[in-house]
Amino acid sequence: MIDVKRGGWKSFPLGGVIPEGGTSVAYLTGEWRGGGKRPLLNLKACVHCLHCWISCPDSAILINGGKMVGFDYEHCKGCGMCAQECPPMVKAITMVAESQFGATL
Amino acid sequence: MLDVVTAPPETRVAPRAAMRSAKALTGNIAVAQAIRQINPHVCAAYPITPTTQIMQEVAQFVADGLMETELVPCESEHSAMSACVGASAAGARVITATSANGLALMWEVLYIASGLRLPVVMAVGNRALSGPLNIHCDHSDSMGARDSGWIQIYAETAQEAYDNILQAVRIAEHPDVLLPVMTCMDGFLTTHTSENVELLGDAEARDFVGAYHARYSLLDVDNPITYGPNDLPDSYTEHKYQQVLAMQNAARVICEIDKEFGERFGRSYGMIDTYCMEDAETAIVVLSSTAGIVKEMVDTLRAEGRKVGLLRPRVFRPFPAQELVDALKGLRAVAVMDRALSFGAEGGPLFTEVQSALRNAECGAPKVVSRVFGLGGRAVARDEIREIYDELDSDRPVKFRLVGVRE
Ligand code: SF4
Ligand code: SF4
């Protein structure tokens, strides 16, 4: 993976090409939540319909054995789409201010 | 603007393989023949006078089964250059052609092609960038694109336009360069004028350009890559510096490939063309086909005992500053004839580059003046060229004027 913040021009592939696949995993978009909100799951209420999983633009909904188990906070940008799409009768996801959690991802 | 002129049928016939043939061909037909011989993977184009005929001929070659090229007729030049960028990123060898407002419509995509380091080759038939509406020759179109990161080569003759396309493919694809190349010729004066052109045999032309193996291909699904990701302030400067270096490398590569072309086929051009410069005291600097008529005036004035010369930069990007300085230092005065204006500047775009090269050289620089001529296809008369040489012998020639403008 190229270090775009510290690498020099000699280390960059020409034309800004990213010469390998799957590199978005290494790009921690979780930082983008900044002072915004993060989603929290009420696992007891969740009916595992996976509406949140299909709506999340960052593939940040963690699934295990076909069931919703939580969030990948290193990549969750805090957009709130999962909370919005969780069915109205369920509402298992709430968006909570980052200030509640200190400086951790 | 559609150009429905069809080439005479005999010019559509492919020369037999491995045979060289001298024919009376227009610049457009000569360039189309070069493209047929190169047989690129993709040509994506939109027609515009005076280069419509190039892709019209290529379309005929494809229809006649003389080329295997995927011809993509697009709905605009913006789309044409976008298709060229996409095809090149997919790993294809790509050639297109345009002029004037078509080139202008490609503008933003020109920067994408160079910035993504895609070796697209484009033939440009220089034409005035209207308005008021004018379809005739001047260099306002390609001069406007001089900062777009494309290599620019200007041909004096149809022969050179043909040779330049073959060389351009090699220059663009060279691993030390990987930049797009614009090969320019004067609209109508070269695109539509029949001259003697010697075509290479198909086999030797193809052997010269060789096979193209793209460094990356979007179609190589086993080795996934990303073209054109967001390049933020952290890394953008480094990518631009790579382009600066590639353009510097291009000067060396252009000379190497031109030399090889000369050794194989007997014609080479260098970065600049000079005529009677050895003992010249004054000189005209001019691009493209106008050099022909200036050479004739040099002969006339030399016969009268006057030490005059001509310098024609063949390559404008990268700018051959050192070659120019070496050829012009020690002269008394130089007139740079520009076929384009740069409104509000001290003179035409070629003038400012020449003046800057000479000033930086600190070499007893000659006096340099700007003469803008030939706008929108206005013919330049022999007497007007004589007058420019006469002005260079006067004590205080005006710094800038438009040749032939009526009061
Ligand atoms: S949308 Fe709500 S109920 Fe459905 S899986 Fe996600 S959190 Fe559970
Ligand atoms: S807040 Fe947005 S990014 Fe984060 S898990 Fe929900 S949908 Fe995905």
Side-chain angles (χ1 to χ4, degrees):
Chain A
M1 183 65 185
I2 307 126
D3 185 347
V4 292
K5 289 198 198 299
R6 283 168 292 272
W9 63 269
K10 289 178 195 162
S11 69
F12 288 9
L14 298 182
V17 164
I18 299 174
E20 55 194 321
T23 51
S24 52
V25 172
Y27 195 161
L28 303 183
T29 47
E31 291 174 7
W32 295 16
R33 288 200 307 280
K37 292 179 174 179
R38 70 165 68 175
L40 278 187
L41 176 67
N42 177 357
L43 194 54
K44 285 198 193 101
C46 174
V47 297
H48 304 290
C49 66
L50 304 191
H51 282 193
C52 55
W53 174 77
I54 209 161
S55 312
C56 175
D58 288 288
S59 305
I61 304 292
L62 300 175
I63 303 293
N64 194 350
K67 291 187 186 297
M68 160 61 164
V69 294
F71 304 94
D72 168 6
Y73 289 116
E74 287 192 332
H75 294 94
C76 163
K77 292 197 297 238
C79 67
M81 279 169 68
C82 51
Q84 179 69 28
E85 293 305 314
C86 185
M89 303 294 286
V90 182
K91 284 296 169 210
I93 300 175
T94 40
M95 300 302 291
V96 180
E98 282 294 330
S99 55
Q100 307 277 315
F101 302 94
T104 54
L105 269 182
Chain B
M1 194 169 293
L2 278 167
D3 177 349
V4 292
V5 180
T6 307
E10 66 272 17
T11 61
R12 294 212 206 107
V13 177
R16 283 190 294 281
M19 270 188 61
R20 296 195 198 166
S21 54
K23 289 187 171 177
L25 300 179
T26 65
N28 275 346
I29 302 291
V31 165
Q33 287 287 356
I35 297 171
R36 180 188 59 72
Q37 293 176 318
I38 295 164
N39 195 27
H41 301 106
V42 174
C43 286
Y46 186 85
I48 183 165
T49 299
T51 43
T52 299
Q53 211 178 11
I54 295 175
M55 281 303 151
Q56 184 180 322
E57 287 297 300
V58 168
Q60 188 72 53
F61 292 142
V62 171
D64 291 349
L66 297 171
M67 297 173 70
E68 296 147 315
T69 300
E70 181 77 35
L71 185 81
V72 188
C74 297
E75 73 275 30
S76 76
E77 286 87 352
H78 188 280
S79 304
M81 185 46 65
S82 299
C84 289
V85 162
S88 187
R93 179 177 272 165
V94 185
I95 302 183
T96 187
T98 197
S99 280
N101 301 59
L103 182 60
L105 191 51
M106 290 180 176
W107 223 259
E108 63 165 325
V109 198
L110 296 179
Y111 284 76
I112 307 294
S114 59
L116 300 190
R117 309 299 297 276
L118 299 170
V120 176
V121 169
M122 174 158 66
V124 173
N126 282 120
R127 160 182 152 177
L129 199 50
S130 309
L133 179 62
N134 183 296
I135 61 165
H136 294 283
C137 176
D138 72 33
H139 295 171
S140 50
D141 51 2
S142 60
M143 278 300 155
R146 68 188 185 270
D147 294 336
S148 63
W150 285 57
I151 291 166
Q152 288 192 334
I153 306 177
Y154 289 77
E156 179 180 342
T157 61
Q159 179 72 67
E160 195 186 331
Y162 168 84
D163 295 341
N164 284 349
I165 289 274
L166 294 170
Q167 294 191 20
V169 170
R170 290 276 305 276
I171 296 162
E173 293 170 3
H174 193 287
D176 295 344
V177 179
L178 285 172
L179 290 174
V181 180
M182 229 176 259
T183 65
C184 305
M185 60 179 155
D186 282 347
F188 293 108
L189 300 170
T190 307
T191 59
H192 283 62
T193 306
S194 290
E195 300 174 28
N196 276 340
V197 179
E198 188 197 76
L199 301 182
L200 302 182
D202 287 0
E204 58 186 355
R206 279 183 197 180
D207 186 56
F208 177 77
V209 295
Y212 174 49
H213 302 290
R215 177 180 296 233
Y216 305 113
S217 165
L218 285 173
L219 297 180
D220 180 1
V221 291
D222 294 329
N223 297 290
I225 54 153
T226 303
Y227 257 106
N230 205 5
D231 198 13
L232 293 174
D234 287 335
S235 46
Y236 192 74
T237 304
E238 282 68 24
H239 286 127
K240 292 298 122 182
Y241 185 56
Q242 290 176 334
Q243 278 178 258
V244 169
L245 296 175
M247 200 48 106
Q248 287 173 8
N249 292 342
R252 169 178 56 80
V253 171
I254 289 167
C255 291
E256 284 170 8
I257 288 168
D258 181 58
K259 185 159 172 277
E260 182 191 327
F261 192 89
E263 282 161 6
R264 288 170 78 159
F265 310 123
R267 289 186 298 274
S268 72
Y269 304 93
M271 297 289 279
I272 61 168
D273 176 24
T274 57
Y275 190 69
C276 298
M277 288 299 293
E278 301 74 30
D279 61 342
E281 292 170 359
T282 59
I284 282 178
V285 177
V286 70
L287 292 167
S288 301
S289 69
T290 311
I293 176 174
V294 176
K295 281 175 188 169
E296 215 183 298
M297 183 47 66
V298 168
D299 288 344
T300 305
L301 296 177
R302 284 261 164 188
E304 296 170 10
R306 294 171 59 179
K307 294 191 169 166
V308 295
L310 160 84
L311 189 153
R312 176 179 70 90
R314 172 180 172 247
V315 179
F316 187 73
R317 284 287 181 271
F319 191 71
Q322 192 56 52
E323 289 86 344
L324 260 129
V325 168
D326 290 345
L328 296 177
K329 70 182 171 206
L331 265 70
R332 204 170 61 241
V334 172
V336 182
M337 291 178 67
D338 264 286
R339 202 160 193 151
L341 280 162
S342 179
F343 297 103
E346 283 185 82
L350 178 59
F351 162 80
T352 50
E353 301 264 346
V354 171
Q355 178 167 257
S356 147
L358 287 168
R359 287 296 175 274
N360 290 340
E362 297 169 357
C363 58
K367 195 182 304 172
V368 192
V369 300
S370 174
R371 297 290 176 264
V372 174
F373 76 102
L375 300 180
R378 171 78 62 93
V380 61
R382 289 165 48 83
D383 284 349
E384 289 172 328
I385 293 168
R386 175 190 281 274
E387 192 185 347
I388 293 171
Y389 278 117
D390 288 348
E391 285 176 292
L392 292 180
D393 284 339
S394 71
D395 284 344
R396 302 176 74 107
V398 292
K399 191 85 181 160
F400 167 80
R401 73 179 176 88
L402 260 63
V403 175
V405 67
R406 292 189 298 273
E407 293 295 329

